[in-house]
Amino acid sequence: MRLRTLLETGELGLRLLSGQELLDRPLHGVMTTDLRDPSRYLHGGELVLTGLAWWRGPGDAEPFVRVLVEAGVAGLAAGEAEFGSVPEDVTLACARHRLPLFAVAEEVSFAEITEHVVRRVSGERAGDLAAVVDRHRRLMSASPAGGGPQAVLDLLGADLDLRAWLLTATGRPIAVAGDERLPAAVAARLAAHHLAEAGAGRPGPYRLDVDPPAGGDAPGGVFALFPVGTGAEPTRGAPAPGEDPRRTVLSGWLLAVRADAREWPAQRVDLLDGVARLVATERDRREASRTVPRRLAQDVLELVGAGAPPAEVAARLRVAARVLVPGLAAPHWQVVTARVAWPDARFDAGPVGRALLEELLAEPVAERLADGTVPDPGVAVAHVDGEAVALVPLPADEPADAGSAALRAERILAPARGALAGALGGDGRLSLGASAAVPSADGLRGALEEARHARRLAAARPAAVSGADHEELASHVLLLPFVPDEVRRAFAGRLLDPLADYDRRHRADLVATLAAFLAVDGSWTRCAARLHLHVNSLRYRIARIERLTGRDLGRLEDRVDFFLALRLR
């Protein structure tokens, strides 16, 4: 029931004195009082009826109205019998504090108003409960087998008039109630918040207030996020005792509803929990359908690792191609590897990386097929020693050289970067490596090594989410990340510490001079111009560097050592 209904009921004879713009407030009950401070008897959402016996003169209204507003009442109805009209300072105080105020005519009893409100509110609650029960029955009978999650969300939108979206853990849309699409930026924010909350083990539903994107009519406002299929029933997303929530959070989905669940009755929250559990059965079905592709990927990796003949590997790849993309003849293959890691994790993160890689590759792989129809997940992913390895089939009519057919690491990671930050927390890392595309099983071993080297290169970078492609393996610089830390520090220290010490003692710039000299390939004139020095001054500095280090910058070997030392700092 809304406050507006009181004015629409003619027999009550109420007149509105202030708060016209607030008449859509919900009304949950009624309370009669003449106490100066009735706060202990208020619970919020009431219409307060008062005969104004507490009012003795100007100044009394302000504290009374403030108490009502702080208690969260819906409105105030003041009787005119005591003074003939509602005192002006009562009206002004209500307007100042944005509290709707009604005048109750002398001939209208508070009992009539109370009976009317109680009857309406009780009837609506009974009707709501019956409707919730019926809707729950209908939703639970809408099995995903009869249309998948979309059928459930269609019923959710039609029957409950809710705007809802079913998203993967990284924000990729699966189904929507209605035709209102979520912008990618909004979906990423919802996914990031869901992952952060679920990864911390907090129970759902989660609440997030999203500003609408600028320059459009895209949805914003308050969203309620219900975890789907994170192995967390029946506590709304909280992990089982002793379970690390990070083990499952990246393989779950989320049901995003544009509403504030805190304003819902418990029955409606329970109903949406039931919807989330219902949709989770579809997520579980899709998870089960990935068993065969995962097994095939494991078989291929074991054959490659055991040095099996290419013909044997090729036979297994043909089976994988028929399972993953029926009708795609003799595809090229790309290998993509990923590792998810937390320094304090006490579980094998390989399955986490596998689930994430399946999700990250789903959309890019579908884009590579002409008709865009690729069975979920479209790739075969296994995990070995904490590392996830994906075999990605690609159309064979694209060139297979330096990988124009191959998916790029940035394309794979870009849509999920924002969401992944929430899942990884402050200390988690995701590294990803992508190989070139190879036309046959003969090149699969090399592609696997390429992808693994690229992933190690990405892991050596400071970003929490990092990827590298096979092209980046064409430089000697890629060797640096694989040198043990203690060797790196010792090598760089031996060459550069004498220069750094000299710079500190004499306020010189020998290290900077060395870097500039190497950057211009040892050109005296260009280096002097870059440093704004006379060439003779530059020669003096270089001679000082050679004396302190015992090296000769005229020798190529010594220049390379200095170059590497500077890169290793």
Side-chain angles (χ1 to χ4, degrees):
M1 181 179 180
R2 306 283 175 176
L3 284 176
R4 188 179 305 280
T5 309
L6 296 173
L7 290 179
E8 296 169 352
T9 307
E11 60 267 27
L12 296 181
L14 300 182
R15 299 193 324 278
L16 183 68
L17 301 182
S18 70
Q20 176 71 40
E21 73 281 8
L22 304 171
L23 291 179
D24 284 326
R25 283 184 177 179
L27 181 58
H28 302 310
V30 63
M31 186 257 192
T32 302
T33 185
D34 273 312
L35 296 174
R36 289 179 176 272
D37 183 0
S39 57
R40 73 184 69 178
Y41 305 110
L42 297 172
H43 304 287
E46 301 97 338
L47 174 68
V48 173
L49 302 174
T50 181
L52 296 174
W54 50 266
W55 189 84
R56 293 290 180 266
D60 288 349
E62 177 70 23
F64 181 79
V65 170
R66 189 184 305 116
V67 166
L68 300 187
V69 171
E70 290 174 353
V73 304
L76 173 65
E80 295 181 316
E82 182 77 15
F83 301 107
S85 63
V86 177
E88 184 180 4
D89 74 322
V90 176
T91 303
L92 293 174
C94 288
R96 187 161 50 249
H97 290 281
R98 293 178 54 79
L99 179 67
L101 173 64
F102 300 91
V104 183
E106 183 175 352
E107 62 271 15
V108 178
S109 72
F110 285 174
E112 290 179 65
I113 300 173
T114 300
E115 182 182 357
H116 177 83
V117 172
V118 170
R119 186 171 61 250
R120 282 290 302 266
V121 170
S122 298
E124 288 179 0
R125 284 176 179 168
D128 282 348
L129 180 58
V132 164
V133 172
D134 180 62
R135 286 163 178 160
H136 193 277
R137 177 187 58 77
R138 293 174 60 193
L139 283 167
M140 295 308 290
S141 66
S143 168
Q150 187 60 58
V152 178
L153 262 69
D154 285 344
L155 185 55
L156 198 62
D159 220 39
L160 294 182
D161 194 27
L162 288 176
R163 290 294 153 275
W165 297 264
L166 183 62
L167 307 172
T168 67
T170 62
R172 182 169 60 90
I174 300 172
V176 58
D179 56 1
E180 189 175 18
R181 303 296 170 182
L182 274 181
V186 174
R189 279 204 62 192
L190 297 178
H193 187 69
H194 160 255
L195 287 174
E197 295 292 294
R202 300 186 184 96
Y206 314 122
R207 182 185 184 277
L208 182 65
D209 196 348
V210 177
D211 294 330
D217 55 357
V222 178
F223 287 80
L225 309 179
F226 292 81
V228 174
T230 55
E233 299 180 53
T235 53
R236 293 179 183 161
E243 174 85 10
D244 191 322
R246 296 173 298 187
R247 295 181 64 138
T248 56
V249 66
L250 284 168
S251 59
W253 294 347
L254 68 143
L255 179 64
V257 181
R258 192 166 57 187
D260 191 345
R262 296 182 306 181
E263 298 179 354
W264 288 354
Q267 297 97 331
R268 176 164 285 208
V269 176
D270 290 340
L271 174 62
L272 266 293
D273 277 334
V275 172
R277 288 194 295 272
L278 178 63
V279 174
T281 62
E282 170 66 7
R283 193 206 68 87
D284 293 341
R285 186 193 66 77
R286 292 194 185 187
E287 181 73 9
S289 72
R290 295 177 174 182
T291 301
V292 172
R294 289 171 177 174
R295 181 67 255 177
L296 289 169
Q298 199 73 41
D299 290 347
V300 171
L301 290 179
E302 289 175 0
L303 289 172
V304 171
E312 191 174 349
V313 178
R316 209 63 181 154
L317 283 177
R318 284 194 295 272
V319 175
R322 286 196 295 270
V323 170
L324 295 174
V325 192
L328 184 62
H332 294 155
W333 292 92
Q334 181 183 13
V335 178
V336 180
T337 64
R339 184 183 293 272
V340 179
W342 291 274
D344 63 337
R346 286 173 168 74
F347 59 88
D348 179 9
V352 181
R354 180 183 64 191
L356 179 59
L357 208 47
E358 288 168 338
E359 163 60 23
L360 291 176
L361 289 168
E363 189 174 289
V365 168
E367 288 177 354
R368 284 302 168 97
L369 299 180
D371 58 1
T373 56
V374 55
D376 182 78
V379 294
V381 188
H383 66 91
V384 180
D385 296 329
E387 181 181 55
V389 181
L391 303 177
V392 183
L394 297 169
D397 56 353
E398 295 191 38
D401 54 86
S404 60
L407 301 173
R408 305 301 297 268
E410 182 56 30
R411 169 63 187 90
I412 297 169
L413 290 173
R417 281 188 184 276
L420 288 174
L424 296 172
D427 56 356
R429 300 288 304 276
L430 166 64
S431 54
L432 181 142
S435 77
V438 295
S440 67
D442 294 342
L444 198 62
R445 187 189 309 277
L448 178 59
E449 290 304 312
E450 273 190 343
R452 282 176 165 163
H453 280 301
R455 193 202 62 76
R456 293 188 193 106
L457 180 61
R461 293 170 176 165
V465 178
S466 183
D469 296 303
H470 63 283
E471 290 98 334
E472 298 180 61
L473 303 179
S475 169
H476 68 278
V477 177
L478 74 91
L479 299 173
L480 300 183
F482 310 123
V483 177
D485 287 345
E486 60 274 14
V487 176
R488 291 156 60 102
R489 287 192 294 268
F491 178 78
R494 257 194 321 270
L495 285 175
L496 300 181
D497 282 355
L499 306 183
D501 290 342
Y502 186 90
D503 285 345
R504 280 193 297 270
R505 291 197 310 270
H506 301 280
R507 296 186 180 181
D509 291 309
L510 296 186
V511 175
T513 300
L514 174 63
F517 186 71
L518 296 175
V520 296
D521 299 323
S523 169
W524 297 98
T525 54
R526 283 192 291 156
C527 184
R530 174 177 292 194
L531 297 175
H532 306 290
L533 293 174
H534 191 277
V535 172
N536 288 341
S537 298
L538 175 62
R539 291 184 186 278
Y540 172 81
R541 288 191 185 182
I542 296 298
R544 175 71 65 181
I545 291 171
E546 291 175 335
R547 282 197 301 273
L548 290 170
T549 60
R551 298 298 186 106
D552 181 0
L553 281 166
R555 297 176 68 245
L556 176 61
E557 294 88 343
D558 287 343
R559 287 191 188 183
V560 170
D561 283 348
F562 277 122
F563 173 80
L564 293 175
L566 288 167
R567 297 300 294 264
L568 288 169
R569 273 198 308 168

